[in-house]
Amino acid sequence: MNLFKISRKYLSFKPLSTGLNILLLSFGLAIITMLLLVQNQFESVVSKDAEGIDLVVGAKGSPLQIILSGVYHVDFPTGNIPIKEAIGLQRNRLVKSVLPLALGDNYKGYRIVGTNHDYLDFYQVEFSDGASWTESFQVVVGAEVALKQGLKVGDSFASSHGISEGSHSHDEHLLQVVGVLKPTGKVIDRLITTSVETVWYSHDEPGEDGEHTHDHGQITLNGLPEGDESRELTTLLLQFRNPMAAVQLPRFINSRTSMQAASPTFEMARLFELLGVGIKLLQGLAVALIVIAGLGIFIALYNSLKERKYDLAVLRSIGATRFQLLQLILIEGITLTWIGAILGLVLGHVFLFFLLKTSDQGLAASLQAWTFLPGELWILVYATVVGLVASIIPAITAYQTSIAKQLTKS
Amino acid sequence: MMLEAKNLKYTYKGSQNIDFPDVELKQGESLLILGKSGSGKTTLLNMLSGLLKPESGTISIDGKDIIAFSQKEMDQFRGKNIGLIFQKPHLLGPLSVKENLQVAPFFAKVQGESPTGILKELDIEDKANSKVRTLSEGEAQRVSISRALMNKPKLILADEPTSSLDDENAERVINLLKDQAKRIGAGLIIVTHDQRIKNQVSKFIEVKKNESV
């Protein structure tokens, strides 16, 4: 027999009220856990994908859209840019390197990105099977694409026109998988990469006699592809040669060319600021839930105390000290909140798991439900504080109860 | 002398003060405290068990002046040396019969007797693991007596232990109290106005309210 056993017996004596309080508290804490996980991982995923990219250049349009489509591959591109302008930009002395991206096709919702080997090197990929493309119509698939679509080296498939699923297919040109990447936790896991020329050639109209008018052999493995003037790219990822470029280059691109420059850091900070309102709202809701749960625990302990004054007096009459009764009530309050906290943490991860399961594409796909953050320990601390605050008044009341009065009152 | 209480006085708010008769009890002796309802019998018992401090007077139990004890010392002294039995059994609902008994030595920090042994002694060992709710009134009162006996007290104080019991159970409870007090060599004081007890215990004192206001 000990105080923990006694308090456990009392808690399980009223399963409904105990259960309700635990549930309320755990829901509040689950929302906080989920927010914590999403916010933390989202920020780290977002910064990992954009690391090393100083500037993104696309067709005129929304800078945020350029970042989302060019770096994270979630939004639609703003349009295309002429290859001539891209080559002009590469010659600029402020630019250290340029990664070309040509978008336009997808395979079952996974984007096909025409680029060069520098893009693969930029994300420091490793191959789990095969190697990089060396000819047109050869592709390398990211880890997630390979897993979800069951693609492996040697497979071939027909791409569909457009960024998202469900438009006409390019049946005349099957794409052949020559390499599968290891998981990186970055955007490239969700992409199918190939040469820029593959994307170009897929979209060329067949000649009048049904013959293709272009040469299928020539592709560019590094640097910008050389195409005739009518060729276009979608996005360029730039690295600056020196800090001066951060000031001069965007201004130059926006005013002197038909292109638009966007800074990933700046645009994502702006996006988080916009999302922040929603996150704050959810946080407020979670705090409200926790406060209600705290009140619930307080009321439950206080009410049960009225019924239990008798029991407490009996305990005193058989030798329990007032301090032991104080401890008993505190243990009950804290046990209640700790069970709620642990349940809340588990629920938070479970909620996130189901949330991610229902949206397995886009940025959400790179979030993990079962990673644990040190910040989650703070949730236990919050819960303990709630438990202490909620049980301190009932505990003091128990401490001050006069036993003679309780026992002689029949 | 096991118990000695002299010149005890107590005043309830808005009421006249009560002078209590002196109480003396030797080891193994039994004593009844009689009186009309409202005369202050229970108040006297509460003072003897240290639940209530008298306004004046002295109480010594086993040679110790219990009025000088602090709240905490009193709680612990009571747990170790005094077994209390009330009119109602006052068992702890969430705990089983056996756990109700184990609580006593835990709080008094003593070894205590074996719960099953005492339950056997009181003929309710088959209820050891039962819920308190399922007990009859008579069984519940026997459990509360068992609990009072757990720490082998030197003094057993019972407040109207039989008033809510039928004849058969009442007799059983009185005999149990007497037998068990004798077995562990404890002094026994029973507050009652129950005629059925008066026939069983010869020594008694009477509490009366003062006539003058």
Side-chain angles (χ1 to χ4, degrees):
Chain A
M1 189 55 59
N2 56 54
L3 287 178
F4 291 97
K5 192 172 173 189
I6 298 175
S7 62
R8 203 185 66 217
K9 291 271 175 181
Y10 271 94
L11 284 176
S12 55
F13 194 54
K14 292 206 165 159
L16 279 182
S17 116
T18 304
L20 180 71
N21 286 317
I22 289 178
L23 215 63
L24 265 176
L25 184 70
S26 63
F27 278 163
L29 293 174
I31 293 180
I32 295 221
T33 309
M34 209 164 76
L35 284 176
L36 200 72
L37 283 170
V38 169
Q39 206 177 0
N40 193 290
Q41 291 191 37
F42 203 64
E43 275 171 23
S44 91
V45 163
V46 158
S47 60
K48 248 197 325 196
D49 283 347
E51 206 178 348
I53 302 175
D54 293 326
L55 200 67
V56 182
V57 177
K60 288 267 189 241
S62 150
L64 181 58
Q65 197 181 343
I66 289 174
I67 300 293
L68 289 178
S69 70
V71 180
Y72 304 106
H73 296 276
V74 283
D75 204 352
F76 293 95
T78 45
N80 287 334
I81 51 177
I83 185 101
K84 198 177 62 181
E85 297 232 54
I87 292 167
L89 195 59
Q90 194 185 26
R91 293 210 188 100
N92 192 306
R93 62 190 163 76
L94 293 169
V95 175
K96 184 174 152 204
S97 68
V98 174
L99 292 173
L101 299 182
L103 303 176
D105 289 336
N106 77 88
Y107 174 63
K108 296 196 173 161
Y110 290 101
R111 293 186 182 193
I112 298 170
V113 179
T115 180
N116 58 29
H117 288 181
D118 300 338
Y119 188 69
L120 298 182
D121 295 339
F122 177 75
Y123 282 116
Q124 297 167 333
V125 298
E126 286 175 48
F127 286 85
S128 68
D129 194 15
S132 195
W133 64 85
T134 49
E135 287 174 33
S136 55
F137 298 103
Q138 290 183 333
V139 299
V140 166
V141 295
E144 194 192 311
V145 186
L147 187 75
K148 292 266 169 70
Q149 298 303 334
L151 291 175
K152 53 190 187 303
V153 171
D155 288 351
S156 46
F157 58 89
S159 60
S160 314
H161 188 65
I163 295 296
S164 48
E165 232 175 323
S167 25
H168 79 265
S169 323
H170 296 296
D171 302 329
E172 64 275 21
H173 290 303
L174 289 183
L175 299 177
Q176 194 199 357
V177 180
V178 292
V180 176
L181 299 179
K182 284 186 181 167
T184 57
K186 293 177 192 167
V187 63
I188 199 156
D189 287 357
R190 311 192 302 271
L191 297 179
I192 299 168
T193 42
T194 181
S195 58
V196 174
E197 285 84 352
T198 305
V199 177
W200 284 348
Y201 297 160
S202 300
H203 293 90
D204 282 342
E205 295 294 322
E208 279 170 19
D209 51 357
E211 287 294 309
H212 294 306
T213 53
H214 51 74
D215 175 12
H216 276 184
Q218 282 294 340
I219 67 160
T220 318
L221 297 181
N222 297 92
L224 287 186
E226 290 165 30
D228 49 55
E229 293 221 340
S230 65
R231 293 298 185 192
E232 290 179 319
L233 291 170
T234 313
T235 320
L236 304 173
L237 308 181
L238 260 60
Q239 281 185 312
F240 296 149
R241 189 172 297 281
N242 56 42
M244 187 66 111
V247 185
Q248 294 183 354
L249 211 51
R251 198 185 300 160
F252 166 75
I253 293 169
N254 290 340
S255 58
R256 300 279 181 83
T257 70
S258 66
M259 300 181 292
Q260 164 94 40
S263 150
T265 12
F266 179 75
E267 295 303 326
M268 288 322 279
R270 208 163 63 95
L271 179 65
F272 281 130
E273 210 172 294
L274 292 172
L275 289 176
V277 181
I279 290 175
K280 282 243 163 61
L281 212 71
L282 273 174
Q283 275 171 343
L285 183 72
V287 168
L289 272 177
I290 290 171
V291 168
I292 291 171
L295 270 174
I297 291 169
F298 166 71
I299 291 168
L301 285 176
Y302 202 77
N303 272 343
S304 81
L305 204 68
K306 265 191 228 154
E307 300 158 24
R308 277 174 62 188
K309 275 190 173 170
Y310 239 80
D311 289 14
L312 294 175
V314 171
L315 291 178
R316 285 284 302 284
S317 80
I318 58 177
T321 60
R322 297 197 295 178
F323 186 65
Q324 281 174 312
L325 300 189
L326 183 99
Q327 282 177 299
L328 189 66
I329 303 291
L330 283 181
I331 289 173
E332 272 180 46
I334 289 171
T335 310
L336 214 59
T337 41
W338 269 66
I339 295 174
I342 288 163
L343 194 69
L345 286 181
V346 173
L347 276 180
H349 286 273
V350 171
F351 284 168
L352 187 62
F353 174 75
F354 283 110
L355 200 75
L356 295 182
K357 227 182 151 150
T358 51
S359 61
D360 58 354
Q361 280 200 10
L363 272 180
S366 38
L367 301 185
Q368 301 272 317
W370 302 112
T371 49
F372 291 85
L373 300 169
E376 290 178 45
L377 288 178
W378 278 105
I379 288 173
L380 287 180
V381 176
Y382 294 148
T384 315
V385 171
V386 168
L388 267 177
V389 169
S391 49
I392 198 93
I393 293 175
I396 289 172
T397 316
Y399 185 84
Q400 288 168 339
T401 303
S402 150
I403 24 178
K405 243 184 243 168
Q406 286 303 323
L407 290 175
T408 47
K409 198 163 64 177
S410 48
Chain B
M1 204 58 71
M2 179 69 235
L3 169 79
E4 220 171 354
K6 280 185 181 146
N7 310 319
L8 293 180
K9 260 186 199 162
Y10 194 84
T11 313
Y12 277 104
K13 267 179 203 147
S15 153
Q16 74 245 56
N17 69 318
I18 313 169
D19 289 312
F20 294 95
D22 292 352
V23 185
E24 282 187 0
L25 191 72
K26 291 197 188 77
Q27 199 170 359
E29 228 180 12
S30 300
L31 174 75
L32 293 187
I33 298 177
L34 304 175
K36 290 179 199 142
S37 49
S39 61
K41 306 187 293 282
T42 300
T43 307
L44 177 57
L45 198 77
N46 284 342
M47 290 190 295
L48 294 180
S49 58
L51 295 177
L52 213 58
K53 288 228 172 183
E55 253 169 41
S56 62
T58 58
I59 304 171
S60 85
I61 296 174
D62 201 18
K64 295 196 178 65
D65 176 11
I66 68 161
I67 290 172
F69 280 159
S70 71
Q71 182 87 259
K72 190 180 170 190
E73 285 169 336
M74 188 63 235
D75 287 336
Q76 281 167 352
F77 181 82
R78 186 188 315 113
K80 283 196 180 82
N81 300 300
I82 304 176
L84 281 172
I85 297 150
F86 305 96
Q87 186 173 351
K88 291 270 171 60
H90 290 338
L91 298 178
L92 306 173
L95 306 183
S96 74
V97 167
K98 199 172 163 186
E99 286 162 344
N100 261 283
L101 300 197
Q102 285 167 336
V103 162
F106 163 67
F107 280 113
K109 298 190 181 78
V110 294
Q111 184 63 44
E113 298 215 46
S114 132
T116 36
I118 291 190
L119 288 172
K120 202 169 189 173
E121 199 67 52
L122 274 72
D123 203 20
I124 36 173
E125 78 266 34
D126 55 324
K127 299 280 182 188
N129 295 314
S130 303
K131 292 233 164 69
V132 165
R133 267 181 294 198
T134 63
L135 300 176
S136 73
E137 190 90 17
E139 285 167 340
Q141 192 58 294
R142 272 184 280 157
V143 173
S144 87
I145 293 171
S146 314
R147 186 175 60 194
L149 295 171
M150 273 302 284
N151 298 346
K152 272 196 165 179
K154 298 201 171 79
L155 187 63
I156 300 172
L157 301 178
D159 186 6
E160 309 262 17
T162 56
S163 63
S164 55
L165 301 178
D166 58 28
D167 287 352
E168 197 187 328
N169 272 311
E171 180 157 351
R172 200 167 178 184
V173 161
I174 297 157
N175 285 331
L176 272 177
L177 278 173
K178 277 167 60 184
D179 294 347
Q180 293 300 322
K182 197 181 280 171
R183 181 174 71 84
I184 60 174
L188 173 67
I189 296 181
I190 304 175
V191 165
T192 191
H193 59 263
D194 193 335
Q195 203 56 46
R196 297 171 296 195
I197 300 185
K198 287 181 197 162
N199 305 329
Q200 303 261 3
V201 183
S202 51
K203 196 177 168 191
F204 71 91
I205 56 168
E206 214 166 346
V207 181
K208 278 184 207 152
K209 273 192 183 172
N210 293 357
E211 297 302 324
S212 57
V213 177

